[in-house]
Structure formats: C-alpha cells, structure tokens
C-alpha cells in the first residue's frame, strides 16, 4: 500500500519535495566539485582536490516560517550561495531542509545562520542520517463543543516548537498532529491539550512503534501491578508502559518487529503462575467506549434535567390555570413570596448548577483562552434568567407589596432542550463514521497459527485472536475463511476473492510466493501464509487510516465557518445586550403602548426576555458542523464505493473539475501488455535475441518491459536460470533502456530513443512500426551495437467500459485529454477507440506535468488520472490527482483520490460524489446562516409590534438545538448516495453493473 512506499512529500504550490540527495557514482575521469566552489588548479598550494569527496556530509535542518514555494526558493538560493554546498532540497510540507556540503568549506552552524539571515528560524536536527524526522500521531479530545473549542486546541498545538501541522476535527473529536520527535514528544502534546482545558487520549503515536491496551484480570494489588510492569519492561522492543491501577489496564508502546501482544499476554500469565490473565481491547474500542460514555452522559443529564424541569413547567404554565391548584400555589410563604415561586426556585437550582455545570466549565475553558463558544451563550442566557428570577423572589420575600415575576422555567427548560439537542447530535455524529467500522469488520476475529519443528513439519496448530498475530507467524487459512493479515503464501494453491479491497470481481489465483491481503476471502484450497504486515501496517488498516485522515482534513470552504466563529459569539452578546437595552429604553420613554406589555410582566422583564432569546437562539454549532459532517459521510461513502478521497481539499477541488487528463497504459488500457509478434532484421536465433533483450528489460519496472521479460521466459528451459548481467544500465523515462550485455551495447525503446542515440532506423523497421500503430499496438525497437536488430510488437487491450466512461464524462461537460509517453500512432489509435479527440504523445513525465499546468492557466480545473511513477509529477501538479488502485505506490501516494477498483467508472463516481457532497455542504451553510439571519431578528422582537409574536427563551433554545441536529441529519442523507444511472449500463471487468 501507499504508505509503505517511498513517501513522496510534494505539495502543489508549496515547494519541492525532500528528495534523496545521496551522492551518485560519477565517471572517475570527471571529478565533481561542490557548487559554489570553482575548479581549483592542481598546482594550487594547500589544495587537495581528491580529498573533497571524503569531506562531503549531510545535515538536515528544521526550518520554521516557510509557507509557500517562494519561501522554499528563498531558503534554497540562500544555502546554495554559500561556498562548499554540493546540493540542497527544501521540503515545505515537513518544514525541513536537507543539505549536502563539504565540511572543509562550510559548517552546519554557518548554514543555519544563513537560513536565519534569510528571515526563517532554523535548527539542526541530525547529520548523516536518512531517517524520516517526522511522525504523525492521532489523539482523541474530550470536551469540545463547537468550532471555537477546536480552534483553541489547534492554535495551542501549532504554537509548540516541533509541531509542523495540527488538524483538529470537531466532528470526529480527534486531532492529527505531524511533529518532529526530536523536538517534542507525544506526552508534551497531550499535556498542552490538557492545559487548554480539554482531555487528550492517545490513539496512535506514529512512527515504527505501536500501542496496545490490555485488560488485566487477577491483578488487584499495587505490588502485582509493579510485578507485571517489570516483567513487560524486560521484553525487547518495549518503548513505554502505562499502568492504570484504577481500571486494571496496561498500555504498552512497542516496536512491532521485535515483539507483540501475544508475548505480552504470555508474560503476564507466566508472571502470576496462572492467576494473572490479560485480554486485548478491540481496535478502536477505547474511542468507541468514549463515544458511548458521552452519549450516556448526555442522556442521563437530559433525564435528570427533565425530572426537575417538568414540575417547573407545570407550576408556571399549566397549574396556574387550574382552580384549586392555583390557589395552593398562590399561598404566601413569606411576605409576597408564594409556594409556586418557592417550588420553582428549589427545582430549577439543581438544573442550573448541577446538570448545567458543563456549560460553566465549557465557558471557563473558552474564556480562559480568549475565545467564546456556545457554552458562553448558554451560560449567559440561563444565568440572566435564573439570577433575575432569584432577585425577584428574594425581593418578594422581603417586601410587603412587591409582586414578583420569575423566569425559572426559562433557565431550566432552556438547559433541558439544549441537552436533548446535544444528545441527538452525538447520536447522529456517531453514525457519520459507520463506513470506517464496516471496513474494520472485514478483518476476521480469529486465526489458526501453525508451529513447526526443526525440519519444517507442522507439529501443532491452534486458534488465536487475530489481533495477536505477530510478524513472521505462519497462519493456516481454510477454504471459505478470511485471510487474517497481509502475508506471503508459503504452501498451497487457491483462489482468493479480493473484491472487498481491490474491487477485482474475479478471484485471484494464489500459489507459493504470491502475496495476500488481510480481510480477503480464500475461495478454495488451504493456504499457509507468513505474516508480513500486521496491525496498523496491514493494507486494511492503512485504508482505514487513509479514510480517517481524510475525515480530519478541513475543506477550504470550512475556513468561512472558522472566520465567522471567531466573531460570532461576541457579536451575538452585543446584539443581545442591544436588544434588551432598546426594548427597555423604548418602553421607559413610552416608545410603544403599554398594551404591548403582557399582564404578567413589566418593561424590564419584557426586554430581558427578548435579550435572552437573542442570546440562546444563535447557533455557532450548526456552522461548525456544516462542512466536517458532510465530508465525513462523503469520504466514508466513497470508501464503500472503492473511491478513497484524501480529505476535504480533494472533495472541494473534485466538484469543480471540468477537464481530465488520462494516462494511457494501465489507465485507459488494461496495463497488462503482451508481446504479439517479433520481427528480426538480422540473422539471429529468437532465443538469443530475447536473451539479450530480457537481460536489459528485467531491470525496468515499466509494464512493457515486464511483458517482454514474461514472453522471453518461454525460451528458457530452466526457470531459475538467471539472465545475463546488465552493466551500465540506464532507464530513459518514457523512452526505453540502455545497457551493456557482455560485449554488446543494447538499446531497447521507441523511435525517439533511437534517433537521440544517433541510430539509423531502416525503412523496413519504420513500416513495421507504422503497421503496429495502425492496429493500436506499440512497436519497440531493439538496437545492438548501434544497429537495429528487430521490432517487438506489444498489445495492451482497452479496459472494458473505457469508451462508455469517456462518453459519460463528455456528457457531463468534462473535457477529456490523453497524455502518454507512447508513440503518436498508437496514442491516436487508442484515443480514437475511446472517443478522446485531444492527444499528447511521446511525453516525458515533466511534459505531462507541463500540459496540466497549461490547461490550468487556460482556466480549467484539471484532474489527472494515472498509475505509474512517471505520472506522479502530473498527479501532484493537477488540481485533483486520481491514482488507479492497481498502480504504483508512488502514484498512489502522490494522488488526492485513489480508485481502488482500477475502473474508469470510478472517475465519474468520484466527481459525482464530490458534487453531491458539496451541494450538501452548501445547503448546510444556507440553513445554518439562514437560520441565524432569520431567527435572531425574530427573537429580538422584529415581528412583535405587528403580530405580537415573541419567542420565549426556552423556545429559542429548542430551535438552537434543533438547528445543529438538522445539519448533521442532512449530512447523513449522503449515506443514501447512488451512482449516476448512466453507470448502470457500463460493462466493467466483463460483467454488467446493476
């Protein structure tokens, strides 16, 4: 999978990626001097030119303050101006600079000072090391209620030195942090979050270490806990152990290539002589338990609030109109204080200060960090109602003639309705991540592990929890069972259904040496597989992590909500106070008739109700949830359709796409070319011809090269007999290869490669090439010692449904272009077959990227669909890069969207899904903004003069709670997404899609 590949860190518009600058072998007769150092004459005293290469060193600097490609260019130019710099590469994404330099000309400190002189902050991380200096951890954050909370946490994290990027998602209540482990630790990150007033729980620490949580049984004393801890600490590969004595839980951070959870459980059992035992928590169980606990807390709080609120409501709204009961409630207790007021005071107090305590703590956390959130509005509104009522009641108790009017029902009913809304909201939010749960359910619960003797014979097999599988375990997979982990087949033959991972409908044949993917189904036959990737390293886990990361990423459109949220609450408070003041002063100076004032109120109380209603009807939560909930559901639905969308940025860009650039090989075609004919122009045995050609092409990863090597194997009598050694091998990207086989100089490639190599192409060879191109085949020329030796004709059939997919895209007003490294004849024939009119052929990787940039400059929003390493620059340059799932890891890593099924119909699905998702986001914003724009004036009493309509605060609170719930529910409707009907008739993989 992608993340096990070379990590390509290019970011569009943000500088170059940090490439491997390790020195390459040069011709010995041409010594290379450092950049910035003139070639020194050999006679120059004190100069030892031959010593220069021995002093070459590598250093990596952490650089803060870079934001774009201009910053990267400034840093790179500054460094390269120094004497003794061999090369430098800037990685804006990871805030790093890798420098190769000559230590006898320049030092690390001088390089660092030069970077700082350019206006950036720099620190030396390490020298002579190629290890990645960046890790990504995920944390669950408890206590966030709206975008203000997530912004506070995000700002706090990004201010920590060593944190390169922090994304905090309100909808998932998680943070994804990319950090430099040499400058900051996970514990420090969690402490910083705790200092902001929220609770952080580690999900994954990142890097080459894993974390596992074990539930201990039989371990009850502090002594036994320490005994377990010391026993585990003695194991190799243990990084950290956290003991939770309250819950009898142990969390172990470890290196998976050295140890694993099965070892931990065995050690714990042996430590207690059988009296101790341990079980492993299910994947994600901790997060799920927190979600369930949050739901239970809101449910319990709502019930307790309801228990006290109902009597308050009845005494103030119902019983006052029932004779007999009214007389009892009006009975005076002390002076003018009656029984009804006293009961409402007693019953509303627990609601205000016990059930509603969460709003006080939330307000304190927000205000402590200079922000204001929904809790501030609720606390202000309910306190205004409660404390005015308390003042009124106390004054009635101490006065002989003051008749009080209380609003205790306002504060208690307001809290009850908001808690109900939050309960419904967390219930709905839990359903937005169901797609991830379904993906995780693909993994089997148990596995059969085999034990061998010294001769390789199976001596025992036992069933274990699949989460206890460790690297290099041998697993037995029965017919009809799921493969428990990624691995290599050691014994047996079978067919495996991989459709749930790759989308390939037909079972794939597996035999010794083939790889299998965890979660796939063994159709027939027994397989013995050796576990190679387990836990978080497995393909399934990486797909899950990709979807989780996508749900964490913010869409650019969300910046609107973030900007609004900064000013929203303070503005609402100002509007609320203005509303109260306007109504009060207008009434005080007879600005409206006394008949407008209800008989149970005075001017101050009427104004207060309007002010409180304005405060509690405003809803910042709906704005904050508008984008992330839709992105969560949209990416989850995409994953279930085999379309992995890497976040909100990709979703937002994809819905604007109006031009798609397609690669040919492996994208429009099957990508599994086969040799269909060979024509020799010199007298030579075909076996000898292919011996030379295969010896050169076996070093290439290109599909055409693999087809040639596969065909050449037919002429080998012994499969294990090696090909001749290829010396001075050179791959000319997009053209072919060069190599020296024995005493022969061999060149295998297209016509351009031959012409560039000054090789004359005979007319017969040109005719063979033209004939191949007419048949949509690819002609490969083979030259030996600068003479054309033969022509190999290769066919790569079109993918089923390619023509229909292009036709549908054209009907969607999406322009389709094909850019390929193949020759013009073949390219035009393939393009004509699928219905593409614009073709660019014989293109190098940089030409593909350049074509994408030209289209962007012409006003198009461009998507690039490709599958090869040579497509990666174009995938990164495009507004949306779409990688075919069966393509190379580098292409998948560079892309924004991965089409797991390798079907072109999924290009249409990706664009259509993004359009549907963004229409949902737009509606969410229209609803959230419209609700506030309409609701606030009504709550302020705009309609009161003409209609006498006023919103009591508890009604305003109920409306506020309903707005958040409606936004989440509207996003959840995306779960019913159906692909465009036009795709129902596209034939994919030889079957009709229903």
């Amino acid at each position: 999978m992608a993340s096990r590949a070379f990590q390509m860190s290019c970011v569009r518009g943000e500088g170059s990626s940090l490439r491997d600058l390790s020195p390459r072998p040069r011709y010995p007769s041409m010594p290379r001097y450092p950049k910035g150092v003139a070639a020194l004459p050999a006679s120059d005293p004190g100069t030892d030119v031959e010593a220069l290469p021995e002093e070459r060193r590598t250093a990596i600097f952490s650089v803060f303050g870079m934001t774009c490609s201009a910053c990267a260019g400034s840093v790179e130019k500054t460094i390269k101006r120094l004497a003794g710099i061999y090369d430098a590469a800037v990685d804006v994404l990871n805030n790093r600079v890798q420098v190769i330099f000559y230590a006898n000309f320049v030092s690390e400190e001088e390089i660092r000072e030069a970077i700082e002189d350019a206006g950036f902050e720099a620190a030396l991380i390490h020298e002579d090391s190629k290890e990645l200096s960046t890790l990504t951890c995920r944390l669950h954050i408890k206590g966030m209620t709206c975008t203000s909370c997530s912004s506070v946490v995000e700002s706090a994290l990004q201010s920590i030195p060593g944190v390169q990027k922090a994304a905090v998602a309100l909808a998932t209540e998680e943070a994804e942090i990319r950090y430099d482990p040499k400058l900051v630790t996970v514990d420090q990150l969690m402490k910083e979050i705790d200092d902001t007033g929220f609770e952080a729980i580690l999900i994954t620490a990142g890097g080459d270490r894993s974390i596992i949580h074990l539930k201990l049984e039989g371990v009850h004393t502090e002594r036994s806990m320490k005994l377990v801890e010391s026993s585990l600490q003695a194991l190799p590969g243990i990084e950290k152990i956290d003991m939770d004595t309250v819950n009898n839980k142990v969390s172990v951070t470890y290196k998976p290539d050295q140890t694993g959870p099965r070892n931990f459980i065995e050690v714990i059992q042996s430590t207690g002589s059988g009296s101790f035992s341990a079980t492993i928590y299910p994947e994600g169980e901790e997060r799920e338990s927190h979600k369930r606990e949050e739901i239970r807390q809101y449910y319990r709080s709502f019930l307790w609030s309801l228990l006290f609120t109902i009597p308050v409501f009845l005494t103030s709204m119902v019983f006052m109109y029932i004779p007999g009961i009214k007389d009892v409630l009006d009975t005076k207790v002390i002076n003018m204080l009656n029984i009804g007021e006293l009961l409402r005071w007693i019953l509303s107090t627990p609601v205000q200060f016990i059930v509603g305590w969460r709003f006080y703590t939330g307000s304190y956390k927000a205000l402590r960090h200079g922000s204001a959130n929904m809790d501030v509005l609720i606390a202000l509104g309910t306190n205004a109602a409660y404390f005015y009522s308390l003042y009124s009641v106390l004054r009635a108790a101490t006065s002989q003639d003051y008749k009080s009017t209380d609003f205790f029902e306002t504060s208690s009913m307001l809290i009850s309705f908001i808690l109900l809304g939050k309960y419904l909201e967390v219930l709905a939010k839990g359903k937005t991540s169901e797609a991830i749960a379904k993906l995780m359910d693909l993994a089997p619960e148990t596995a059969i592990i085999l034990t061998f003797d010294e001769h390789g014979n199976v001596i025992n097999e036992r069933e274990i929890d699949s989460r206890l599988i460790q690297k290099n375990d041998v697993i037995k997979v029965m017919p009809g069972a799921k493969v428990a982990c990624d691995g290599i087949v050691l014994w047996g033959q079978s067919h495996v259904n991989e459709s749930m991972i790759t989308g390939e409908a037909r079972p794939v044949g597996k035999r010794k040496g083939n790889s299998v993917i965890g979660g796939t189904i063994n159709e027939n036959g027994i397989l013995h597989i050796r576990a190679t990737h387990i836990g978080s390293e497995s393909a399934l886990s990486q797909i899950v992590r990709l979807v989780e990361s996508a749900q964490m990423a913010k869409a650019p459109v969300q910046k609107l909500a973030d900007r609004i949220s900064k000013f929203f609450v303070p503005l609402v408070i100002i509007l609320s106070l203005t509303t109260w003041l306007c109504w009060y002063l207008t009434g005080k100076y007879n600005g409206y008739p006394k008949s407008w004032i209800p008989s149970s109120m005075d001017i101050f109380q009427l104004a207060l109700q309007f002010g409180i209603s304005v405060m509690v009807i405003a809803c910042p939560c709906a704005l904050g949830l508008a984008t992330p909930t839709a992105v969560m559901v949209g990416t989850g639905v995409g994953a279930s359709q085999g379309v992995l969308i890497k976040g909100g940025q990709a979703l937002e860009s994809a819905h604007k796409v109006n031009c798609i650039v397609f690669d040919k090989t492996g994208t429009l075609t099957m990508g599994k070319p086969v040799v269909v004919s060979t024509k020799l122009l010199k007298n030579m045995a075909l076996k000898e011809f292919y011996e030379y050609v295969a010896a050169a092409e076996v070093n290439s990863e290109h599909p055409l090269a693999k087809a040639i090597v596969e065909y050449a194997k037919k002429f080998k009598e012994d499969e294990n007999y090696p090909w001749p050694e290829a010396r001075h091998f050179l791959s000319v990207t997009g053209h072919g290869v060069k190599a020296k086989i024995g005493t022969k100089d061999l060149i295998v490639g297209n016509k351009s490669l031959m012409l560039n190599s000054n090789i004359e192409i005979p007319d017969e060879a040109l005719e063979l090439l033209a004939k191949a191109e007419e048949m949509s085949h690819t002609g490969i020329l083979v030259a030996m010692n600068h003479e054309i030796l033969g022509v190999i004709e290769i066919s790569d059939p079109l993918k089923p449904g390619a023509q229909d997919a292009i036709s549908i895209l054209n009907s969607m007003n999406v322009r389709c272009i094909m850019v390929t490294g193949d020759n013009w004849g073949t390219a035009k024939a393939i393009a004509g077959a699928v219905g593409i009119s614009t073709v660019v052929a014989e293109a190098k990787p940089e030409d593909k990227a350049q074509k994408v940039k030209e289209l962007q400059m012409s006003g198009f929003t461009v998507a690039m669909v490709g599958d090869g390493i040579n497509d990666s620059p174009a995938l990164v340059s495009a507004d949306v890069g779409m990688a075919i799932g069966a393509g190379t890891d580098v292409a998948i890593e560079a892309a924004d969207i991965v089409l797991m099924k390798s079907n072109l119909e999924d290009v249409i699905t990706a664009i259509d899904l993004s359009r549907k998702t963004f229409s949902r986001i737009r509606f969410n914003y229209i609803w959230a903004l419209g609700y506030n724009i309409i609701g606030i004036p009504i709550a302020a009493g705009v309609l009161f003069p003409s209609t006498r309509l006023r919103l009591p605060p508890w009604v305003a609170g109920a409306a506020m709670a309903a707005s958040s719930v409606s936004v989440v529910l509207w996003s959840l409707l995306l779960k019913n997404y159906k692909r465009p009907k036009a795709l129902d008739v596209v034939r994919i993989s030889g079957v009709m899609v229903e």
Side-chain angles (χ1 to χ4, degrees), residues 327-358:
D327 296 335
V328 173
L329 294 175
D330 286 341
T331 303
K332 301 294 187 289
V333 180
I334 303 174
N335 291 328
M336 295 298 289
L337 175 65
N338 60 43
I339 290 175
E341 292 167 344
L342 183 61
L343 283 174
R344 288 192 288 275
W345 178 20
I346 293 170
L347 291 169
S348 63
T349 299
V351 178
Q352 182 70 36
F353 296 108
I354 299 176
V355 178
W357 185 250
R358 64 173 67 242

Side-chain angles (χ1 to χ4, degrees), residues 705-863:
K706 291 181 178 179
I708 292 172
V709 173
E710 196 63 31
Y711 186 79
K713 288 180 181 177
K714 297 178 181 180
F715 300 97
K716 293 180 67 175
E717 296 176 1
D718 181 5
E719 275 193 19
N720 296 320
Y721 185 79
W723 301 109
E725 180 186 1
R727 293 178 290 116
H728 306 303
F729 175 82
L730 176 65
S731 176
V732 185
T733 307
H735 293 281
V737 298
K738 298 180 179 180
K740 191 172 187 68
I741 314 297
T743 59
K744 311 290 186 181
D745 288 322
L746 201 71
I747 301 177
V748 183
N750 57 19
K751 185 166 62 175
S752 297
L753 182 61
M754 300 301 163
L755 295 175
N756 291 337
S757 302
N758 297 319
I759 297 175
E760 185 179 349
I761 305 174
D763 292 339
E764 186 180 358
L766 292 173
E767 290 174 6
L768 289 170
L769 289 177
K771 181 182 176 182
E773 290 169 3
E774 289 174 6
M775 300 176 66
S776 302
H777 295 170
T778 300
I780 302 294
L781 294 168
V782 179
M784 183 180 288
N785 293 335
H786 282 67
E787 280 190 298
I788 298 297
L789 190 62
V791 179
I792 301 173
E793 191 174 334
I794 298 176
S795 172
D796 186 7
L798 283 175
K799 281 188 176 178
Q803 184 176 3
D804 293 326
I806 299 300
S807 175
I808 294 170
L809 286 169
N810 288 331
S811 70
M812 294 169 65
N813 296 320
V814 177
R815 183 183 178 188
C816 297
I817 297 172
M818 187 177 81
V819 181
T820 177
D822 211 338
N823 61 74
W824 277 100
T826 304
K828 287 180 179 178
I830 293 292
V834 298
I836 293 177
S837 56
T838 306
V839 182
V840 177
E842 298 180 8
K844 298 176 182 178
E846 57 269 27
D847 296 334
K848 293 183 179 183
Q850 184 59 38
K851 182 62 180 177
V852 167
K853 290 174 183 175
E854 288 174 7
L855 290 166
Q856 289 170 329
M857 292 176 68
S858 301
F860 288 101
T861 301
V862 183

